[in-house]
Amino acid sequence: MNAQPILEVKGLSRAFGGVKAVNDVSFALHRGEIVGLIGPNGAGKTTLVNLITGVVPPSSGSVLFDGQDVTYQRPWQAARRGLARTFQIVQPFPEMTVLENVAAGALFAGRAANRADAEAQALEHLAFVGLAQDAHRPAAALPLPGRKRLELAKSLAMRPKVLLLDEVNAGLNSGEVDQALDLMRRIAAQGITILIIEHLMKVVLTLSQRVLVLHQGRLISSGDPASVVQDPQVVEAYLGSKFAERQRRMTANG
Amino acid sequence: MRSSAFFILSMLVLAAAPFIADNYVVRLCTFLCMYAALALSWNFIGGYAGYPSFATAGFFGLGAYAGALTQNLGFWLPLPWLFATVVVALFAAGLGFAILRMKGHYFAIGSISIVEILRLLASSWAQLTGGGDGLNVRILPGGPDYAGRVFLYSMMAVMIAAFITMLCVDRSRLGFGLRCIKQNEDAADMIGIDVTSYKTAAFTLSAMYCGTIGAIYASWVAYIDPSDAFSILLTLKVPVMTLLGGPGTVYGPILGAWVFVLLEEMIWAKFLEYNRAILGAVIVLLIFALPGGLLRMQWRRKWPSSVFGLPGLNRLKESR
Ligand SMILES: Nc1ncnc2c1ncn2[C@@H]1O[C@H](COP(=O)(O)OP(=O)(O)O)[C@@H](O)[C@H]1O
Ligand SMILES: [Mg+2]
């Protein structure tokens, strides 16, 4: 393992009008880590991902990727460097087939040499996420769980070093979430560093080695999952006392 | 397959026109090639990238003046035409960076204002352009029949060049990337497409051949003035042609341009009074009735016949 973090965020801030959506946030991701990012709605999680991937420029602070300063990069540059993200609201190319959607990721950010190669790689990624049978359907025809998987396959086709997952499980039923959990474990097993934004604590607690908590734009807590869920500040801001109580009982029993 | 056979056949007919038809037909064929080339050009930015550009007449007019002025300096054809092509391509590439930040209606308005600004410039810079009095262009020696052929084949050459460029783009990374941009620009950016460069490339391609066509047109008609060179009607007509034929397809713009020009010619001859109103109504009807253009209508018709019709017939035969 390399000691230098793959992604480092230093004092990142961004205000919209008077609202400080992200306020002086610093953290680092190490190679191969799975880190959870939690926080209430409007805490600034999506904005943080947008800042890291160049969708919105920061008001201040910096982003280092693989030791290189990439603060003011454009999103397409982030993608080619190996910094991929999924959108909270899925963003397919609706009139293209599922296969073409994934091939686009492989061609423009991944390692595909040409379109034929990109489509061959895309098929592998579709099989990996379990969408191979839908390869030739138009992307717009997929139901929501399928579109979430498509979004994942597209990001994987980009051969990322770091994958930022913004609520990929939102709107899925519990069976679908279990499948998604398995999928994310297999992605992590490929050695991809993952930052996962998630509301389902079950997912966060089973997957993450470390958890970051954002509240009103500030990083209010971070550490291993067990200690973060007991942090009084986190309980008050996000989890609620009932959750903490249940969690305490579960750990006591188990 | 059928489309390419039709394309090759129609090229042969166009090429044969001077030998089998009178000057009126040759002139009409020259217009068919000219508008097809303009509609193909528009397809790069409007059909592939999905940016509704109304700058066609700006590029056409700039090309016309650049070509006419160099031709009047005494340069041999086709040098002034090549010069016009380069000038317009550079102009569009420079302009693209600024104007392609706008989207949708804003881009449409921004692009149409280019036509207006260039027209004002041509009218007021009288020392260079002759202003509102227009500009006479040296007439090609050799007589009207010879000139008719030269201009038909020149327009045809540009149309074919635009068509081949379109085929190449359609199959390339650029074409694929532009299609992504059209469907979701943010997502395209996010998967590693350098959207600014791609859009600028599409805009430049959409301008380049318009510049050549404008210069050839100036040599052909031997006289240009600002309102003819930078015509608002032209800037509106060309996108309509592409939409009519099938935006984002390789044959659609040619088909749309030809149907439009032939309709226009027929209506012009038959209804001297209300020709523009009738033409307008026909075009509006066609576009509303065929949202994907004439080409896609054929496809939709083909579907039922190949899915249900032919196999059904085959089965009937087998059962006998
Ligand atoms: N583009 C934007 N313009 C204005 N305000 C924004 C923009 N993006 C986010 N915000 C604001 O920033 C805050 C954080 O939003 P967001 O990052 O979406 O939170 P989360 O993803 O944690 O729910 C919210 O108050 C939101 O309204
Ligand atoms: Mg969010």
Side-chain angles (χ1 to χ4, degrees):
Chain A
M1 202 164 155
N2 194 328
Q4 186 188 52
I6 182 79
L7 180 75
E8 197 173 0
V9 168
K10 288 183 185 165
L12 214 53
S13 300
R14 169 72 202 209
F16 293 110
V19 184
K20 285 195 169 172
V22 169
N23 193 353
D24 196 21
V25 169
S26 303
F27 68 89
L29 297 183
H30 295 276
R31 282 160 219 272
E33 257 190 325
I34 308 183
V35 175
L37 175 61
I38 60 173
N41 274 327
K45 304 181 296 292
T46 298
T47 305
L48 185 57
V49 171
N50 286 342
L51 290 172
I52 293 171
T53 52
V55 176
V56 252
S59 316
S60 61
S62 59
V63 181
L64 296 167
F65 183 71
D66 219 352
Q68 193 188 355
D69 188 331
V70 296
T71 311
Y72 294 101
Q73 68 188 337
R74 303 287 312 139
W76 61 270
Q77 294 171 314
R80 290 190 190 175
R81 286 197 172 104
L83 197 51
R85 61 90 62 94
T86 63
F87 284 94
Q88 182 171 356
I89 299 156
V90 288
Q91 304 268 6
F93 302 116
E95 286 162 33
M96 291 187 179
T97 63
V98 167
L99 184 71
E100 284 172 316
N101 265 270
V102 181
L107 186 63
F108 293 107
R111 295 184 205 134
N114 53 44
R115 275 178 69 174
D117 186 20
E119 296 204 347
Q121 290 186 19
L123 263 181
E124 286 171 29
H125 293 292
L126 283 174
F128 183 80
V129 303
L131 270 182
Q133 73 284 2
D134 294 311
H136 298 289
R137 290 174 75 186
L142 284 185
L144 183 72
R147 270 179 285 168
K148 295 263 180 184
R149 280 160 184 248
L150 170 58
E151 192 81 1
L152 262 181
K154 204 159 78 175
S155 324
L156 290 175
M158 291 159 64
R159 300 281 175 163
K161 292 179 185 150
V162 174
L163 188 54
L164 309 170
L165 301 175
D166 195 354
E167 305 203 14
V168 272
N169 299 318
L172 301 189
N173 67 34
S174 70
E176 289 158 357
V177 167
D178 284 338
Q179 287 181 341
L181 257 176
D182 174 54
L183 191 58
M184 277 181 269
R185 275 205 200 91
R186 287 189 288 132
I187 294 170
Q190 297 181 358
I192 299 173
T193 309
I194 300 177
L195 180 73
I196 174 169
I197 297 179
E198 189 50 75
H199 276 300
L200 297 168
M201 287 310 288
K202 174 186 167 188
V203 176
V204 179
L205 296 179
T206 39
L207 281 180
S208 329
Q209 293 146 12
R210 214 150 49 88
V211 177
L212 309 170
V213 188
L214 211 55
H215 179 52
Q216 294 176 352
R218 285 187 171 278
L219 205 57
I220 58 166
S221 180
S222 69
D224 66 278
S227 59
V228 163
V229 296
Q230 297 302 337
D231 184 330
Q233 260 190 300
V234 178
V235 172
E236 190 188 340
Y238 181 51
L239 299 173
S241 47
K242 273 192 192 142
F243 178 90
E245 186 55 38
R246 201 169 56 221
Q247 198 66 26
R248 223 179 341 256
R249 259 188 278 124
M250 269 170 57
T251 19
N253 294 345
Chain B
M1 248 14 251
R2 243 175 47 189
S3 309
S4 60
F6 175 76
F7 177 75
I8 291 167
L9 187 70
S10 52
M11 287 305 123
L12 292 176
V13 171
L14 284 174
F19 303 100
I20 54 177
D22 59 9
N23 281 344
Y24 163 79
V25 174
V26 173
R27 190 173 156 278
L28 184 63
C29 289
T30 311
F31 272 121
L32 288 178
C33 295
M34 171 173 139
Y35 281 108
L38 294 175
L40 280 164
S41 298
W42 189 84
N43 201 28
F44 288 110
I45 187 74
Y48 282 83
Y51 272 66
S53 168
F54 290 102
T56 300
F59 304 138
F60 177 90
L62 184 62
Y65 274 97
L69 290 170
T70 26
Q71 194 179 338
N72 283 352
L73 286 178
F75 287 98
W76 292 98
L77 294 177
L79 213 67
W81 301 346
L82 294 177
F83 176 71
T85 311
V86 173
V87 166
V88 172
L90 291 177
F91 174 74
L95 191 70
F97 274 101
I99 190 179
L100 288 161
R101 288 166 202 273
M102 296 189 265
K103 289 193 180 136
H105 307 305
Y106 296 99
F107 175 78
I109 293 166
S111 64
I112 206 166
S113 61
I114 294 169
V115 181
E116 281 304 293
I117 292 168
L118 286 174
R119 189 164 60 105
L120 284 174
L121 200 68
S123 317
S124 43
W125 197 353
Q127 261 179 317
L128 184 70
T129 64
D133 293 339
L135 186 65
N136 285 308
V137 187
R138 288 188 182 184
I139 291 173
L140 187 72
D145 286 353
Y146 171 73
R149 279 178 210 185
V150 167
F151 292 116
L152 170 65
Y153 293 141
S154 305
M155 291 287 193
M156 208 172 143
V158 181
M159 173 182 67
I160 291 170
F163 178 74
I164 291 171
T165 312
M166 180 128 296
L167 278 184
C168 295
V169 168
D170 189 69
R171 285 160 197 187
S172 73
R173 248 173 125 87
L174 177 62
F176 192 24
L178 291 175
R179 249 180 253 129
C180 292
I181 290 174
K182 179 182 184 178
Q183 291 180 36
N184 191 332
E185 189 166 336
D186 291 333
D189 198 354
M190 223 60 233
I191 59 158
I193 298 173
D194 177 357
V195 286
T196 314
S197 303
Y198 271 58
K199 288 190 297 186
T200 307
F203 195 57
T204 307
L205 284 171
S206 84
M208 199 169 89
Y209 295 119
C210 294
T212 329
I213 291 286
I216 298 175
Y217 176 82
S219 308
W220 182 29
V221 298
Y223 167 81
I224 48 170
D225 67 32
S227 56
D228 182 31
F230 301 101
S231 146
I232 289 296
L233 198 62
L234 178 79
T235 236
L236 297 176
K237 255 190 207 175
V238 169
V240 168
M241 290 170 178
T242 309
L243 294 177
L244 183 63
T249 63
V250 288
Y251 294 106
I254 302 177
L255 182 66
W258 289 356
V259 167
F260 191 108
V261 172
L262 293 175
L263 263 179
E264 195 178 38
E265 198 64 27
M266 268 157 43
I267 291 172
W268 226 255
K270 289 223 175 96
F271 307 94
L272 286 172
E273 301 266 338
Y274 302 105
N275 49 45
R276 279 211 176 150
I278 294 169
L279 180 67
V282 170
I283 300 301
V284 167
L285 271 179
L286 278 175
I287 296 229
F288 270 94
L290 313 166
L294 291 164
L295 268 189
R296 293 206 178 98
M297 170 195 71
Q298 279 188 342
W299 281 16
R300 233 175 267 150
R301 274 221 194 130
K302 251 196 232 165
W303 266 22
S305 67
S306 61
V307 174
F308 303 116
L310 287 177
L313 279 179
N314 288 340
R315 232 171 284 136
L316 266 182
K317 277 183 209 146
E318 279 164 23
S319 67
R320 276 177 199 165

